[in-house]
């Protein structure tokens, strides 16, 4: 998240507007969509935040989206439970330029494939290049599969190294129905990739004729069965993650190798717009010279790019013999590295856009009125992507690095990770309503927030961005916001799974809400004990108070079914409502002769016992007895 300058003097006023709305009675949706007026004394039970797209149901392929995480207003991560791979697969999307402006539109897609050392955290295209900001003004949905190290995005013959790779099935059968039904993506597709991803782009396009309108290879290995190439690929896969190439396609002489060789499959690429590029391996503009003429310090990248050049030439010769047109780009220098692939993506875009039927260039847009005033003070938003357009209660305009919303509440920017969470709540159409502040730096120098009509979104580098709203926000505010005992929000608010209520995690505990008991914080060692007893589903139920101070630095929370006490000398222990608690109460709780609790209740012959600092209490035949 990009940190931005803000006037800290606005912190209290931004917070006050939100709390005033809570006190006056908010209009919030309950789970199931019913809308009710909610007074501060009886807040709604909050549902988990909804994604801006409809909640996905199971695809015809059996795949289902199990989780959605909005990373910015137009970058989202989906976790798709893949039946073929029997595991959740992360797919990130960069949404089309007009995604917000035209909510009924569907868009072509560009599928960007990673290299041999793909990680399970993020696509190299967003981690290593400017693809996210560069695609912002393109009217396509960009599909970024995450993971697949050394997989060649293919269906493997056997499991290996803890992976059950069935990438071709996932990409061509399981994922498309989800994108088309729930994420406004049509069947007009392009695919491009670097190195391993370049090989896979050509292979997938050839093995699935008509699935992609365009296929691009940047430094791909495009003749995988020529002399020595299976061995070179096997060595590279072993080096990148310890994978066995025979688990992928069997022995190098097996038919599966030929069935995944772009050179062998070249004839099946007829009708697909093709782009092929490679460097020469010599030192280029983005390399560090080694001191030897033409040789860079990227020795491995030099050798790999030479292989890419040789196999690309072999592949291009085959295309020429078959009369299949392609854009072939042999660069006079350059090694196997990300700056060159970023360059090639931009070179390939006009051809890709033509194949997809979208304009290559961004249309003109203007920034006027209040939008212009706010934009001039927030130049990090960069250029406009759209003109202003109507949203619920006001208007909005999209920029390369965020959005500006305007209403009778004012005109404010929302961006970055905070903008992502806001989008996950359906932005102006959702329960948070319109912004009532821009992004403001908190006085501690660590956090930032935007306030909205019905809540706030906070962000720190450690906790990421989370919304706080309703009764939980009211109690958190009463305790001092992030300066109080709980610190910053560290999780989204969710419904408690087995009982009506809600819970939200913070850095140092959690805030619980239930209609019967109100909203209360549980934290520290008391929270640890509560967790060990099953949270609200255990014998204690929901909290009835936040933490209360007692003698000798001790603390306790009262719950529906009892209390949890903690002191520095004794630790945290639960005492349930009943005869033992009543007997302890009769001698003055922790201030009496028994002191603090030092154990949970445990069985003894004929009854139960609980220990204290200076004695114990037993219950037999329903009668409590205090010792000594």
């Amino acid at each position: 998240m990009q940190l931005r300058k803000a006037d800290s003097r606005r912190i209290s006023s931004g917070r006050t507007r939100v709390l005033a709305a809570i006190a006056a009675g908010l209009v919030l949706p309950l789970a199931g969509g019913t809308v009710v007026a909610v007074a501060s004394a009886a807040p709604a039970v909050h549902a988990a935040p909804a994604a801006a797209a409809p909640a996905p149901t199971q695809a015809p392929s059996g795949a289902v989206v199990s989780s959605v995480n909005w990373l910015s207003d137009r970058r989202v991560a989906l976790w798709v439970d893949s039946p073929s791979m029997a595991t959740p697969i992360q797919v990130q999307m960069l949404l089309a330029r007009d995604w917000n402006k035209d909510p009924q539109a569907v868009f072509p897609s560009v599928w960007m494939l990673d290299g041999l050392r793909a990680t399970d955290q993020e696509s190299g295209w967003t981690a290593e290049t400017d693809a996210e900001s560069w695609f912002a003004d393109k009217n396509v949905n960009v599909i970024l599969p995450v993971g697949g190290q050394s997989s060649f995005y293919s269906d493997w013959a056997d499991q290996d190294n803890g992976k059950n790779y069935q990438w071709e099935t996932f990409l061509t059968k399981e994922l498309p129905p989800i994108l088309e039904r729930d994420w406004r993506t049509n069947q007009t597709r392009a695919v491009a990739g670097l190195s391993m991803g370049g090989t896979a782009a050509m292979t997938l396009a050839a093995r699935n004729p008509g699935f992609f309108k365009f296929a691009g290879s940047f430094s791909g290995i495009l003749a995988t069965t020529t002399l020595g190439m299976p061995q070179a690929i096997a060595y590279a896969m072993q080096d990148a993650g310890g994978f066995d190439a025979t688990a992928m396609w069997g022995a190098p002489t097996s038919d599966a190798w030929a069935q995944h060789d772009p050179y062998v499959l070249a004839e099946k690429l007829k009708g697909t717009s093709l782009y092929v590029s490679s460097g020469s391996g010599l030192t280029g503009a983005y390399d560090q010279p080694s001191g030897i003429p033409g040789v860079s310090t990227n020795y491995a990248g030099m050798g790999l790019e030479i292989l890419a050049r040789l196999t690309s030439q072999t592949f291009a010769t085959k295309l020429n013999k078959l009369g299949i047109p392609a854009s072939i780009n042999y660069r006079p220098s350059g090694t196997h590295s990300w700056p060159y692939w970023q360059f090639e993506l931009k070179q390939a875009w006009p051809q890709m856009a033509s194949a997809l039927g979208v304009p290559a260039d961004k249309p003109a847009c203007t920034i006027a009125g209040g939008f212009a005033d706010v934009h001039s003070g927030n130049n990090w938003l960069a250029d406009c992507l759209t003109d202003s357009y109507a949203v619920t209660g006001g208007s909005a305009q999209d920029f390369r690095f965020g959005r500006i919303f305007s209403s009778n509440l004012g005109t404010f920017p929302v961006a970055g990770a905070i903008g992502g969470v806001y989008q996950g709540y359906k932005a102006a159409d959702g329960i948070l309503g319109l912004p009532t502040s821009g992004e403001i730096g908190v006085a501690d120098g660590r956090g930032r927030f935007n306030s909205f009509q019905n809540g706030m979104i906070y962000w720190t580098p450690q906790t990421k961005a989370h919304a706080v709203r309703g009764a939980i926000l009211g109690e958190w505010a009463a305790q001092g916001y992030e300066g109080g005992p709980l610190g910053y929000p560290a999780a989204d608010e969710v419904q408690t799974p087995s009982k009506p209520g809600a819970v939200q995690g913070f850095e140092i505990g959690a805030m619980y809400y239930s209609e019967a008991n109100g909203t209360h914080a549980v934290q520290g060692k008391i929270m640890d004990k509560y967790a060990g007893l099953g949270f609200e589903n255990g014998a204690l139920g929901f909290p009835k108070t936040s933490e209360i101070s007692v003698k000798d630095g001790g603390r306790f929370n009262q719950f529906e079914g009892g209390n949890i006490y903690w002191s520095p000398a004794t630790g945290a222990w639960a005492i349930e409502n009943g005869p033992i608690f009543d007997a302890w109460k009769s001698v003055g709780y922790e201030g009496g002769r028994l002191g603090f609790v030092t154990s949970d209740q445990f069985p003894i012959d004929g009854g139960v016992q609980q220990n204290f600092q200076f004695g114990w209490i037993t219950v037999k035949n329903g009668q409590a007895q205090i010792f000594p």
Side-chain angles (χ1 to χ4, degrees), residues 554-577:
R555 304 280 193 274
F556 80 94
N557 279 75
Q558 184 180 359
F559 297 84
E560 292 174 302
N563 294 355
I564 297 177
Y565 278 80
W566 172 89
S567 78
T570 59
W573 302 99
I575 181 166
E576 296 180 21
N577 295 338

Side-chain angles (χ1 to χ4, degrees), residues 149-316:
Q149 183 183 42
S150 287
S151 68
F152 282 83
Y153 295 101
S154 62
D155 288 355
W156 282 35
D158 295 304
Q159 297 184 31
D160 183 48
N161 206 11
K163 301 291 186 181
N164 177 32
Y165 282 152
Q166 300 295 314
W167 275 99
E168 183 173 355
T169 294
F170 176 75
L171 293 173
T172 63
K173 301 294 191 301
E174 296 173 356
L175 181 60
I178 290 170
L179 299 178
E180 292 161 24
R181 186 190 58 237
D182 300 321
W183 292 92
R184 296 164 52 194
T185 304
N186 63 30
Q187 295 184 1
T188 303
R189 311 178 189 93
V191 63
L194 71 303
S195 190
M196 173 189 85
T199 309
M202 292 300 171
T203 302
L204 289 169
R207 287 172 58 86
N208 300 274
F211 190 82
F212 295 109
K213 300 288 188 184
F214 169 98
S217 168
F218 314 143
S219 304
I221 304 299
L222 300 184
T224 58
T225 58
T226 55
L227 183 64
M229 284 311 304
Q231 292 75 23
I233 290 171
Y235 176 84
M237 290 172 59
Q238 185 64 37
D239 186 60
F243 288 91
D244 181 356
T246 62
M248 180 168 67
W249 300 326
T253 54
S254 72
D255 288 343
W257 278 83
Q259 291 166 6
H260 292 84
D261 185 345
Y263 177 85
V264 175
L265 300 173
E267 189 170 8
K268 296 187 176 183
L269 290 167
K270 285 181 179 178
T272 304
S273 178
L274 303 175
Y275 182 99
V276 177
S277 68
S278 66
S280 67
L282 297 175
T283 302
Y286 304 111
D287 295 305
Q288 181 68 38
S290 67
I292 303 172
V295 177
S296 75
T297 55
N298 183 7
Y299 300 113
M302 177 180 177
L304 287 169
E305 197 64 16
I306 290 171
L307 284 178
R309 169 65 71 89
L310 292 173
T311 61
S312 293
Q313 288 174 327
T314 301
F315 176 72

Side-chain angles (χ1 to χ4, degrees), residues 521-536:
V522 187
Q523 63 197 69
K525 297 298 183 182
I526 291 178
M527 170 58 87
D528 293 344
K529 187 65 178 177
Y530 186 48
L533 296 173
F535 298 108
E536 74 281 354

Side-chain angles (χ1 to χ4, degrees), residues 209-452:
F211 190 82
F212 295 109
K213 300 288 188 184
F214 169 98
S217 168
F218 314 143
S219 304
I221 304 299
L222 300 184
T224 58
T225 58
T226 55
L227 183 64
M229 284 311 304
Q231 292 75 23
I233 290 171
Y235 176 84
M237 290 172 59
Q238 185 64 37
D239 186 60
F243 288 91
D244 181 356
T246 62
M248 180 168 67
W249 300 326
T253 54
S254 72
D255 288 343
W257 278 83
Q259 291 166 6
H260 292 84
D261 185 345
Y263 177 85
V264 175
L265 300 173
E267 189 170 8
K268 296 187 176 183
L269 290 167
K270 285 181 179 178
T272 304
S273 178
L274 303 175
Y275 182 99
V276 177
S277 68
S278 66
S280 67
L282 297 175
T283 302
Y286 304 111
D287 295 305
Q288 181 68 38
S290 67
I292 303 172
V295 177
S296 75
T297 55
N298 183 7
Y299 300 113
M302 177 180 177
L304 287 169
E305 197 64 16
I306 290 171
L307 284 178
R309 169 65 71 89
L310 292 173
T311 61
S312 293
Q313 288 174 327
T314 301
F315 176 72
T317 299
K318 177 77 171 287
L319 292 178
N320 187 51
K321 288 181 179 179
L322 294 170
I324 298 174
S327 176
I328 309 297
N329 300 276
Y330 300 136
R331 307 301 178 188
S333 62
T335 59
H336 213 68
S337 50
W338 279 105
Y340 296 103
W341 302 324
Q342 174 177 284
F343 168 80
E344 293 297 345
L345 170 61
K346 296 174 183 180
Q347 297 304 301
W349 169 247
Q351 181 180 337
M352 192 185 302
S354 177
L356 294 174
V358 298
D361 298 323
K362 180 187 78 169
C365 54
T366 58
I367 312 171
F371 290 101
D373 294 338
V374 170
H375 181 263
S376 66
N378 296 275
N379 56 16
W380 49 265
L381 286 164
D383 55 316
C384 63
L385 303 182
T386 67
D387 289 323
S388 63
Y389 53 91
V391 297
T392 300
S395 57
Q397 186 166 11
D398 292 354
F399 296 81
R400 193 168 298 270
F401 295 110
R403 305 172 74 187
I404 296 176
F405 291 85
S406 184
S407 71
N408 59 6
L409 302 170
T411 303
F412 304 104
V414 184
I418 290 175
V421 170
Y422 186 48
Q423 187 81 307
Y425 277 94
K426 299 186 179 181
D429 295 329
I431 54 180
L432 291 177
L434 286 157
T436 58
S437 80
E439 189 175 298
I440 297 172
V442 180
D444 63 9
R446 184 160 76 99
R448 306 184 74 78
F449 74 90
N450 277 71
S451 62
F452 300 86

